[in-house]
Amino acid sequence: MLNITVLVSGGGTNLQALLDAQNRGDIPNGRVTCVISSNPKAYALERAQNAGIETEIIQKKNYESPEQYDEALVALLEKHHTDLVVLAGFMTIFGKTVVEHYPNRIINVHPALIPSFCGKGYYGLHVHEAALKCGVKLTGATVHFVNEVCDGGPIILQKAVEVHPGDTPELLQRRVMEQAEWEILPKAVSLFCDGKIEVKNQIAEIKE
Ligand code: GAR
C-alpha cells in the first residue's frame, strides 16, 4: 500500500475526486495519508479534515530562499513517509531538490492538452482564457510526471474535451474538470500504485 501525499492550494475538487475514487475502491494499492497546502485558507484543507486526513501548511514566503523552501517541503514529505506526491491544483513552483527526491514519483494534473497552453504562467483559469483566445475547438486535461521542466515531464494520461460556442473560462474550466481531470487523475494514481507505469527515455508507457 503506497502512501500518497496530495499538494493543494485551492478548492480541492481534484483532491475530492481522489478521495471519492479511494472510497469506491478504485485505488486499491494506495491511500491518501497527508494533504499539504500552500494556502492556509484553501477549502481543500476542509475536505481533507472531513475525510480524517492529516494536513500541513507550507508557504514559500516564510522561507529565506527557494532552496530552503524546497528542503522544508522535502522534510514534510519524508515526515509523512510519502511514496507518491500528487499535485492537485498546487500553485507554488518548487525546484530541483524536490524533483530529485521523487524522480517519476510526482504526478501533476494540468487543465489542457500538453504541449498546448502549458508552462510558466499557464495555471488555473489562465489556461482556459488562453484556449478560448486561441479559438481551439478541443481542449482537455493531462496527467504527467513532474521533472525540472515546467509541465514538461512524461505524459501519463490525457483526455480531450469540447469547447462550446459562448464558453467563458469558468464554464470551460468546469467542463474540463468534470469530463477529464476528475476521471484521469484518479486513474493515473491507481495505475502508478499498481506499478503499471514505466518511463523509458522520457516516455511513460502503461503496462496492461
Ligand atoms: C485544476 O483545474 C487544475 O488542473 C489546475 O488548477 C485547478 C485546481 O482545482 N492546476 C493547474 O493549473 C496547475 N498548473 P481544484 O483545487 O478544485 O482541484
Side-chain angles (χ1 to χ4, degrees):
M1 183 67 78
L2 299 189
N3 292 329
I4 305 167
T5 294
V6 182
L7 272 54
V8 297
S9 299
T13 64
N14 279 288
L15 166 67
Q16 193 64 54
L18 283 170
L19 297 176
D20 293 347
Q22 186 175 298
N23 290 338
R24 286 194 305 268
D26 288 350
I27 311 178
N29 295 314
R31 60 192 171 133
V32 178
T33 46
C34 177
V35 170
I36 300 178
S37 179
S38 63
N39 166 12
K41 293 195 180 134
Y43 182 63
L45 285 170
E46 241 177 278
R47 294 182 191 269
Q49 279 148 13
N50 290 341
I53 295 165
E54 278 191 79
T55 60
E56 304 270 8
I57 292 160
I58 181 165
Q59 293 181 280
K60 203 169 183 176
K61 64 170 192 202
N62 293 340
Y63 295 86
E64 274 174 25
S65 69
E67 290 74 24
Q68 283 179 12
Y69 166 77
D70 281 4
E71 275 165 28
L73 181 55
V74 167
L76 265 189
L77 292 168
E78 285 183 339
K79 175 182 158 197
H80 289 276
H81 308 288
T82 304
D83 298 304
L84 171 67
V85 183
V86 176
L87 310 186
F90 188 61
M91 301 305 182
T92 305
I93 304 242
F94 50 69
K96 226 167 110 189
T97 309
V98 183
V99 176
E100 282 174 357
H101 263 80
Y102 295 93
N104 292 330
R105 286 201 287 145
I106 307 174
I107 285 178
N108 179 45
V109 59
H110 182 75
L113 294 173
I114 290 174
S116 290
F117 312 116
C118 65
K120 209 161 180 273
Y122 288 97
Y123 59 90
L125 272 180
H126 298 301
V127 178
H128 304 292
E129 280 161 12
L132 289 175
K133 203 168 167 197
C134 191
V136 291
K137 306 300 179 234
L138 275 179
T139 183
T142 302
V143 178
H144 65 94
F145 284 117
V146 172
N147 65 11
E148 321 67 51
V149 183
C150 183
D151 296 328
I155 292 170
I156 304 167
L157 294 174
Q158 292 188 298
K159 190 170 176 205
V161 173
E162 281 182 10
V163 179
H164 292 174
D167 266 351
T168 60
E170 290 78 7
L171 280 172
L172 187 55
Q173 179 182 52
R174 184 72 192 181
R175 191 175 313 116
V176 168
M177 284 175 159
E178 282 176 356
Q179 295 185 9
E181 295 185 50
W182 300 343
E183 179 187 324
I184 65 174
L185 180 62
K187 201 168 167 184
V189 166
S190 185
L191 285 167
F192 180 92
C193 294
D194 292 347
K196 287 191 176 155
I197 311 176
E198 201 173 345
V199 180
K200 285 189 212 147
N201 301 322
Q202 291 301 303
I203 304 288
E205 280 178 20
I206 314 286
K207 297 187 278 180
E208 286 313 322

